[in-house]
Amino acid sequence: MSVHAPTSPDRDPPPKATLFCPDCGHESPPTGDWVVRGADPGSDRASDGDAVVSCPDCGTEIATRGGSELPALA
């Protein structure tokens, strides 16, 4: 069961397609200001053609996506 917190009158809820950084709290749409770079060759978490999405504020890696998904994030 999830707990739903009522929206504060001072802040509108973020759009549903919003990425959040778990370390610093930065939030932006997937096509926003996230840093997208090619995955390091030989990385345990990525394969050829993958991209790593990182927070522009603190550099935390948010996600690794396949190359076919890049146009949606870039």
Side-chain angles (χ1 to χ4, degrees):
M1 179 177 180
S2 65
V3 177
H4 176 73
T7 303
S8 133
D10 297 339
R11 180 176 175 194
D12 291 332
K16 288 188 180 208
T18 300
L19 295 177
F20 297 88
C21 175
D23 287 353
C24 74
H26 179 80
E27 57 184 64
S28 181
T31 57
D33 57 355
W34 301 101
V35 177
V36 180
R37 63 174 173 75
D40 296 329
S43 171
D44 292 342
R45 297 180 359 180
S47 60
D48 282 345
D50 282 356
V52 176
V53 180
S54 301
C55 177
D57 291 340
C58 70
T60 299
E61 290 185 7
I62 303 301
T64 301
R65 296 287 181 240
S68 64
E69 298 177 60
L70 279 176
L73 293 171

